[in-house]
Amino acid sequence: LRLWDGTGPSRSDPMPNNVVNVNADQSIADPPEQVLIRIEKILNAISSAEHPDTTCVGVNAPLALCGRVINAIIWEEDLWNLIQRFGIINIGSFIRLRNINNAMLPSGSRVNCLSVHAKSSLTPLPHDAYEVKMLLKGHDTRLKRGVPTNPTSAILPGKSAPRPQFTTREAAISGFSMLDECLRKPAPATFTVQCEVSHTLPASDLNSIDTLKAFCVKQKDGSAVFRFALHIKDTSAEVDVICHGKVAEGLLGMSAQEVSTSVAKCTQALDTLKVYSSSGSVCEGKIRSVMGKDKRVYFVLCSIFCITS
């Protein structure tokens, strides 16, 4: 079996040689898209239950999966027959394993695996089992922290990146704010939102290095710094947030001085902006509110990362 639980480094362990040879002419996503489809169906079922709990509130169906994929060897022929011939589990099933051991694949490759032996137990889990909900919630938390997805993971088919659909109550439970709440007076000092970036100010041509030049302003000492704004929106409102200084440099991956010296970094910065502002991309941003000299409230970006990249 190939197992995944959303934890560990985002990589897939090598398959046994005989499996690799059998599938040598196939391109296999790992985990495959059946798993992503199953997760989406489970989350839909949990949220639409007659008496839904709040465990998975704010958990979106992932576009791809992070975490390690590991091999598990089934030594007992009767158990393997139940799996292979009678289909007690299939791709995308969630299971509980107990009393298993760490082992090495018996191929001499020194690849670590799990060993399911005569004294082990394998139990298929229903979609609304507590373990399933906590696994999906934990995986969603890792993605929102910016943990990279497994490069071999399949992509949820037929879907663009999920738009934030929190209600105000759900946002409060999940720890996120809605933009319309933050536009009320008094504005919170700091808040975290899930949002889309629709465009930049000044307007940008993301195929031209001149865009980055327009993002630069000169200080009194003659040095240049980044200062621009991102226009963000969620399902409740939209607002401009100022991006400048170290935060802007972190987002773009370069300093303002490098705009005129490094074409490679400029290209990379433009590619980053394309990802953040592409249709369907969802970002998580921490924002603080400040009072300007004109007595107006302005919003300043403290950090941002793209959940769906």
Side-chain angles (χ1 to χ4, degrees), residues 138-292:
H139 179 259
D140 184 69
T141 299
R142 294 192 79 199
L143 288 178
K144 289 174 178 175
R145 285 206 315 264
V147 174
T149 56
N150 188 329
T152 65
S153 171
I155 304 297
L156 184 63
K159 298 290 181 179
S160 60
R163 292 187 58 163
Q165 295 294 331
F166 289 137
T167 63
T168 300
R169 178 176 175 273
E170 289 170 342
I173 293 171
S174 65
F176 294 103
S177 299
M178 301 296 290
L179 286 176
D180 65 341
E181 299 175 84
C182 306
L183 293 174
R184 300 169 192 165
K185 295 182 179 180
T190 59
F191 53 94
T192 302
V193 297
Q194 283 194 357
C195 59
E196 296 180 2
V197 177
S198 61
H199 59 272
T200 64
L201 298 168
S204 56
D205 175 2
L206 298 183
N207 294 310
S208 173
I209 293 177
D210 289 339
T211 287
L212 299 176
K213 295 178 181 178
F215 287 171
C216 297
V217 295
K218 282 192 175 182
Q219 301 189 101
K220 291 181 180 180
D221 62 3
S223 62
V225 294
F226 285 123
R227 185 177 178 86
F228 58 95
L230 300 177
H231 187 83
I232 64 172
K233 61 183 180 180
D234 63 10
T235 55
S236 68
E238 49 191 273
V239 70
D240 296 327
V241 292
I242 298 169
C243 185
H244 69 108
K246 295 296 183 183
V247 175
E249 290 180 359
L251 170 61
L252 299 175
M254 65 184 305
S255 67
Q257 286 72 28
E258 290 174 311
V259 172
S260 58
T261 61
S262 176
V263 174
K265 286 195 172 183
C266 287
T267 303
Q268 185 176 358
L270 291 172
D271 288 343
T272 299
L273 288 174
K274 288 177 184 178
V275 170
Y276 276 66
S277 59
S278 61
S279 176
S281 288
V282 180
C283 300
E284 181 177 318
K286 184 176 182 181
I287 300 167
R288 63 185 175 91
S289 58
V290 297
M291 182 70 73

Side-chain angles (χ1 to χ4, degrees), residues 24-50:
D25 59 342
Q26 300 181 29
S27 176
I28 302 175
D30 194 24
E33 68 177 31
Q34 294 101 310
V35 177
L36 289 138
I37 294 171
R38 182 67 176 269
I39 289 174
E40 182 182 41
K41 290 180 178 178
I42 288 174
L43 289 170
N44 288 339
I46 292 173
S47 63
S48 60
E50 184 177 358

